[in-house]
Each structure stands twice: as structure tokens, then as C-alpha cells.
């Protein structure tokens, strides 16, 4: 087969240990509804699927739907390992990214070195910087009566903040976004492989620069770190940098686009925020729950009896966090968006040892963006002539989001 | 009231400290630290809200046996 991974249309035959009634074709990258609305693609696409089912896509894989099942698979690393972290496995990246693709106890060597750099107190101290950047970006287009929000904001603020954190000039923003796009969504295997090599070369050059001129940013901190077992070697630093690159360049970008799309389509929800800006943190978490963008993959480390089913060593299991957040046992009214929800223990940032390291940064960026936005921009909507295009995959989101509003507030 | 933290389950979501900042804090790595051995009555609502919002179920609430027989005086 010579097709590229993203457009793989081959269907695997179900192995004998998979009960026939659990076979259900679901393409988590390319179901047609993903092009229109990832939320609907999951909720409608899986509405009548069994709680655990097997899809013949990408060589065949399991899909979990329930909160408890997804949480257990996310944190029981002895049975469900993370490497390789995507389905199909990422082209051009044969080595584990650190720390996400190694498991405890080795995982702790890397995670504990990174954790203080992204812990709540560290992020709290960054809030004034995030606010200044958010206000500057929004002021740049607030008077225009509209903007293509993905390009003008979603792909700017999180990437620029990320580059600032690791100590890379913000001028590299658009080039790195392009490189990230080629690595994850390039049209051919060759493009993806070439992009992988380019990321490696960029990291080598950046690390060399940090050795020559150390700063107080994340990459220098990792070079200086003295974890148990001794300092990180060059290969470990590249594998750590690779993970930061993959996580930093499109997660908040996509979350912002999904959140603002929802708000643009629901003027009454905008009005709630305008009427009581104090609900912003709750609104952000509720839309993180409702529009969760991450579908994690785990691989079985051994044969496992799971909820009465036989899972076999090496099989892939998809964990769509959006579906966990719709589980009626945990969120009886999960189909409703409620900005005043008191209990919102959603799994958008995963669970267990691999819980999204950047979750506190992501929340801060989204909360500050929402505050700065509503201070500056009145009722907004999706441009009347716009054809929205979204995408599925491990990270779901929007390709573009043209918004309109009546002048500046 | 007492909060019981299961350190094996805490993975640093920090939802507890957002919802109950006077009951829950963060260590240098971002994992939960309990601020009180026993939760003062005025903070019980925070304690419950923080525990309920933990995605790991790492926090549970226990009643403390034989509480001091002092009800908060109402002005």
C-alpha cells in the first residue's frame, strides 16, 4: 500500500477475538462530519455505538467512550503504554518523545524536570505577559469589524508565548507553525519525514545556541537540570524539545478556535459572559469540556481482560476525551453548555502520569483571552459568506474562523 | 471535616486549588498540598468543591469524629 497515513482508506479485517457486534467503522481523522463539526462527528458518529468498539481503520483499533474506561486506560500505564503516541504512528519520529512516550519510573526523570517550569505558581507569574500580548493582538483588529481568528490570534498568542517560554525569538512563529503543519499533516510520507528531520536540526541548532548563551528559559533549564541519574544528554534534550514542539504549537490554537466558534454560534452565551465577566473561568472550563480537542492513543503492553473483552498485546486503543466528557454517568446534562457548572471534572487534559503538562498555561491563555476579548469586542458572529472547515485526528480543531462584529466597542 | 489526599492519584490538574484556594495549595511540581489538617468550618464548602472537581478522584472528604462542641456564633 502506498497511500499516505492521513488518507488511509484501507479497512482491516477484524481478528477472531473481536466480537462481530463490536465492529464499527469510525475514522477518527476523516469521518465527513469532522469537516463540519468535530463535536457532532463524535457525539453523532458514536451515538449508537457500543461502549467499547473496534474500528477497522488504521490497521484496526479499539475505541473507548465511557469516562471511567478512558480514565483507566489513560492512567494504567502498565497495561496501556503511550509509545507510539499517535495512530497511525508518527512518520519521521522513530524515537520516543519525552516524557510523554515513556512510562514511570523512567517518565519521572523527565516529567519532574519539566513540572516546576509549568506548575501553577510559574504560570501565575506569566499572567501579566499573557494579558499584554492578548490585548495587543486583539487591539490590532478590534476596530476592523472582523478577523480571521485562527490566523490572527489562535495561531499567534499560544505559539508566541510558547517560544518566549523556551527562549526562541517570536519571529520564528509562522515558520515553526508551517513546519509543524508539514510534520503532522503533510500530504506525503516524504514531506513528513523531511519535516521531522527539519525539527531535529532546528532543535540541535537551538540547543547549541542555548549552550553558548544560556538564559533563564525552559531549554536552558533543561540543559542545566540535574535529575536523578545525571544531566540530560544531547539526545534526551532533543527528545524533550521534540515533545515541547509538538505540544506547544497547536493545542491551545485549536482549543481557542473551537471555543470561539461555539461562542460565535451562540449569541445568548456571549451575553451571559458580557453580563457577568466573573464567570469567565467557568465558561472556559465548560467549553474545554464540551469541545475537548484531544483524542489520545494507547497501546496494549500485554494481553488484557478489560471489561469482559480480550484486548491483545500491541493493539491500539483510542481515547476520545470529548466522549468521556459526555458520559451521562458523570455529566447527566453533558449535552448542555452550562457556564455555572459547579462540578466539572472533565478529562480534556487527560489523566494519570501524562496529564497535560501545559494545562495551566492553556487555561491561563484561554481565560485571559476571553477577558480581553469581551472587554474590547461586542456581539460577534461567523462571517455570513464563510464556509467553516474543521478537522478530526489526534487534535481536532478549525482550519479557519472568519468572525464579524459591529465596529469596536 | 478532614480532606484525604491520595498522592498516588494526584497528577497535578490543580482544579482543587482553583476551586478551593484556601484549602488546597501547590507544591513546586504542581501537585496538591493540603493547607489544613482539619478543615475549618468556614472553608468546608471550598473543600467539597475542590474535591468534587478533581478529575482523578484523588480527594475525599471525611467527617472528623467528635467535633469540638462549638458552633460558630451567629452575630
Amino acid at each position: 500500500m502506498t497511500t499516505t497515513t492521513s488518507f488511509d482508506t484501507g479497512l482491516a479485517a477484524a481478528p477472531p477475538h473481536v466480537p462481530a457486534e463490536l465492529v464499527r467503522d469510525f475514522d477518527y481523522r476523516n469521518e465527513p462530519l469532522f469537516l463540519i463539526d468535530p463535536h457532532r462527528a463524535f457525539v453523532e458518529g458514536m451515538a449508537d455505538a457500543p461502549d467499547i468498539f473496534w474500528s477497522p481503520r488504521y490497521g484496526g483499533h479499539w475505541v473507548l467512550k465511557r469516562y471511567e474506561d478512558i480514565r483507566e486506560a489513560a492512567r494504567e500505564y502498565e497495561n496501556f503504554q503511550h509509545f507510539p503516541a499517535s495512530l497511525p504512528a508518527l512518520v519521521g519520529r522513530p524515537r520516543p518523545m519525552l516524557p510523554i512516550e515513556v512510562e514511570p519510573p523512567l517518565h519521572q526523570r523527565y516529567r519532574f524536570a519539566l513540572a516546576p517550569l509549568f506548575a501553577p505558581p510559574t504560570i501565575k507569574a506569566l499572567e501579566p505577559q499573557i494579558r499584554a500580548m492578548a490585548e495587543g493582538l486583539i487591539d490590532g483588529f478590534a476596530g476592523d469589524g472582523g478577523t480571521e481568528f485562527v490566523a490572527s490570534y489562535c495561531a499567534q498568542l499560544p505559539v508566541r508565548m510558547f517560544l518566549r517560554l523556551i527562549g526562541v525569538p517570536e519571529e520564528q512563529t509562522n515558520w515553526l507553525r508551517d513546519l509543524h503543519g508539514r510534520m503532522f499533516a503533510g500530504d506525503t510520507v516524504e514531506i513528513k519525514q523531511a519535516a521531522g528531520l527539519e525539527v531535529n536540526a532546528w532543535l540541535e541548532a537551538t540547543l547549541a545556541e542555548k549552550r553558548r548563551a544560556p538564559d533563564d528559559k525552559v531549554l536552558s533549564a533543561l540543559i542545566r537540570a540535574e535529575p536523578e541519574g545525571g544531566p540530560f544528554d544531547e539526545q534526551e534534550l532533543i527528545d524533550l524539545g521534540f515533545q515541547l514542539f509538538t505540544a506547544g504549537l497547536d493545542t491551545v490554537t485549536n482549543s481557542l478556535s473551537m471555543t470561539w466558534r461555539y461562542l460565535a454560534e451562540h449569541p445568548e452565551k456571549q451575553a451571559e459572559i458580557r453580563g457577568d465577566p466573573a464567570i469567565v473561568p467557568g465558561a472556559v472550563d465548560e467549553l474545554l469540556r464540551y469541545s475537548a480537542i484531544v483524542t489520545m492513543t494507547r497501546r496494549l503492553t500485554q494481553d488484557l481482560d478489560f471489561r469482559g473483552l480480550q484486548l491483545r498485546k500491541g493493539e491500539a486503543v483510542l481515547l476520545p476525551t470529548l466522549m468521556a466528557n459526555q458520559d451521562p454517568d458523570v455529566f447527566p446534562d453533558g449535552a448542555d453548555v452550562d457556564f455555572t457548572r459547579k462540578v466539572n471534572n472533565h478529562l480534556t487534559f487527560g489523566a494519570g502520569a501524562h496529564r497535560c503538562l501545559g494545562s495551566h498555561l492553556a487555561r491561563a491563555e484561554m481565560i485571559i483571552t476571553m477577558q480581553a476579548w469581551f472587554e474590547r469586542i461586542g456581539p460577534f458572529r461567523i462571517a455570513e459568506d464563510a464556509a467553516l472547515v474543521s478537522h478530526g485526528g489526534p487534535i481536532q480543531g478549525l482550519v479557519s474562523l472568519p468572525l464579524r462584529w459591529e465596529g469596536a466597542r | 471535616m478532614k480532606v484525604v489526599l491520595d498522592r498516588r492519584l494526584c497528577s497535578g490538574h490543580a482544579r482543587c486549588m482553583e476551586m478551593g484556594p484556601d484549602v488546597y495549595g501547590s507544591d513546586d511540581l504542581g501537585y496538591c498540598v493540603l493547607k489544613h489538617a482539619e478543615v475549618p468550618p468556614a472553608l468546608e464548602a471550598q473543600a467539597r468543591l475542590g474535591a468534587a472537581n478533581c478529575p482523578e478522584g484523588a480527594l475525599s472528604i471525611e467527617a472528623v469524629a467528635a467535633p469540638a462542641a462549638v458552633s460558630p456564633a451567629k452575630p
Side-chain angles (χ1 to χ4, degrees), chain A residues 33-34 36-42 258 261 322 390-391 396-397:
Chain A
L33 254 181
F34 276 116
I36 299 167
D37 184 344
H39 182 93
R40 287 182 56 203
F42 276 116
M258 296 280 283
R261 180 218 186 128
L322 188 146
S390 54
H391 58 85
Q396 304 113 40

Side-chain angles (χ1 to χ4, degrees), chain A residues 67 71 75 111-112 115-116 119-121 285 342-347 349-353 355 359-360 363, chain B residues 9-15 17-19 26-31 48-49 51-58:
Chain A
Y67 184 97
R71 186 167 72 167
R75 60 188 186 191
R111 177 79 183 206
F112 289 175
D285 253 277
K342 287 279 179 286
V343 176
N344 204 348
N345 51 344
H346 62 73
L347 296 184
F349 293 112
R355 187 269 309 162
S359 66
H360 315 308
R363 270 203 182 87
Chain B
L9 288 180
C10 175
S11 66
H13 289 263
R15 297 290 287 151
M17 45 196 106
E18 285 164 38
M19 311 306 282
S26 166
D27 69 12
D28 290 346
L29 295 179
Y31 296 97
R48 287 184 207 285
L49 194 61
N53 275 281
C54 176
E56 307 285 358

Side-chain angles (χ1 to χ4, degrees), chain A residues 203-389:
Chain A
L203 283 168
E204 282 173 15
T206 306
L207 287 164
E209 171 64 18
K210 294 298 166 196
R211 285 213 170 81
R212 195 184 60 73
D215 55 24
D216 59 353
K217 311 291 187 178
V218 167
L219 289 177
S220 290
L222 291 174
I223 291 171
R224 270 198 311 272
E226 293 183 357
E228 218 178 295
F232 299 125
D233 65 24
E234 177 73 8
Q235 188 62 61
E236 287 177 307
L237 289 167
I238 289 174
D239 295 342
L240 283 160
F242 209 99
Q243 156 94 71
L244 291 170
F245 172 81
T246 65
L249 263 68
D250 71 345
T251 46
V252 181
T253 298
N254 282 305
S255 271
L256 283 167
S257 72
M258 296 280 283
T259 297
W260 259 254
R261 180 218 186 128
Y262 179 88
L263 292 171
E265 289 177 336
H266 294 85
E268 76 285 5
K269 290 292 181 186
Q270 296 180 34
E272 281 184 33
I273 296 170
R274 257 179 227 106
D276 183 9
I279 66 172
V280 163
V284 163
D285 253 277
E286 176 65 346
L287 290 172
L288 281 168
R289 178 191 71 82
Y290 186 80
S291 300
I293 58 156
V294 179
T295 297
M296 306 177 286
T297 303
R298 294 292 196 275
R299 314 258 169 174
L300 272 296
T301 59
Q302 55 190 331
D303 290 358
L304 180 69
D305 184 342
F306 185 79
R307 311 290 192 251
L309 296 170
Q310 298 302 310
L311 311 188
R312 293 285 161 84
K313 180 177 180 177
E315 287 181 338
V317 183
L318 278 191
L319 314 178
T321 53
L322 188 146
M323 291 305 290
N325 298 344
Q326 288 290 324
D327 188 324
D329 284 353
V330 183
F331 300 99
D333 57 349
D336 301 334
V337 169
D338 177 2
F339 290 165
T340 61
R341 192 178 288 281
K342 287 279 179 286
V343 176
N344 204 348
N345 51 344
H346 62 73
L347 296 184
T348 298
F349 293 112
H354 295 291
R355 187 269 309 162
C356 173
L357 178 75
S359 66
H360 315 308
L361 177 61
R363 270 203 182 87
E365 289 178 347
M366 294 188 66
I367 289 169
I368 289 167
T369 296
M370 199 177 279
Q371 290 165 338
W373 178 276
F374 280 90
E375 285 160 15
R376 286 165 173 74
I377 290 177
F380 59 100
R381 62 191 186 278
I382 295 169
E384 290 74 8
D385 54 350
L388 287 191
V389 179

Side-chain angles (χ1 to χ4, degrees), chain A residues 85-301:
Chain A
S86 56
L87 182 71
L90 192 56
V91 171
R93 188 60 206 164
R95 301 177 47 78
M97 289 185 286
L98 299 176
I100 198 169
E101 290 184 323
V102 295
E103 305 304 333
L106 178 60
H107 170 260
Q108 292 166 358
R109 170 172 165 79
Y110 309 109
R111 177 79 183 206
F112 289 175
L114 284 164
L117 307 172
F118 292 89
T122 314
I123 301 306
K124 187 91 194 152
L126 287 174
E127 286 181 358
Q129 280 190 56
I130 301 172
R131 174 158 273 275
M133 191 186 287
E135 292 178 347
L137 286 167
I138 297 169
D139 285 341
F141 53 66
D144 298 346
T147 191
E148 199 289 272
F149 189 58
V150 171
S152 67
Y153 192 91
C154 306
Q156 298 298 321
L157 177 117
V159 182
R160 287 173 182 273
M161 274 311 300
F162 165 72
L163 294 180
R164 209 181 266 193
L165 276 176
I166 65 171
V168 167
E170 286 170 45
E171 291 68 42
Q172 296 192 19
T173 296
N174 292 340
W175 173 73
L176 285 170
R177 279 278 303 166
D178 173 67
L179 177 57
H180 189 278
R182 281 183 278 135
M183 170 104 207
F184 285 90
D187 283 340
T188 66
V189 169
E190 290 73 25
I191 289 173
K192 291 178 179 180
Q193 274 167 342
L197 291 173
E198 223 177 311
V199 177
N200 246 44
W202 170 73
L203 283 168
E204 282 173 15
T206 306
L207 287 164
E209 171 64 18
K210 294 298 166 196
R211 285 213 170 81
R212 195 184 60 73
D215 55 24
D216 59 353
K217 311 291 187 178
V218 167
L219 289 177
S220 290
L222 291 174
I223 291 171
R224 270 198 311 272
E226 293 183 357
E228 218 178 295
F232 299 125
D233 65 24
E234 177 73 8
Q235 188 62 61
E236 287 177 307
L237 289 167
I238 289 174
D239 295 342
L240 283 160
F242 209 99
Q243 156 94 71
L244 291 170
F245 172 81
T246 65
L249 263 68
D250 71 345
T251 46
V252 181
T253 298
N254 282 305
S255 271
L256 283 167
S257 72
M258 296 280 283
T259 297
W260 259 254
R261 180 218 186 128
Y262 179 88
L263 292 171
E265 289 177 336
H266 294 85
E268 76 285 5
K269 290 292 181 186
Q270 296 180 34
E272 281 184 33
I273 296 170
R274 257 179 227 106
D276 183 9
I279 66 172
V280 163
V284 163
D285 253 277
E286 176 65 346
L287 290 172
L288 281 168
R289 178 191 71 82
Y290 186 80
S291 300
I293 58 156
V294 179
T295 297
M296 306 177 286
T297 303
R298 294 292 196 275
R299 314 258 169 174
L300 272 296
T301 59

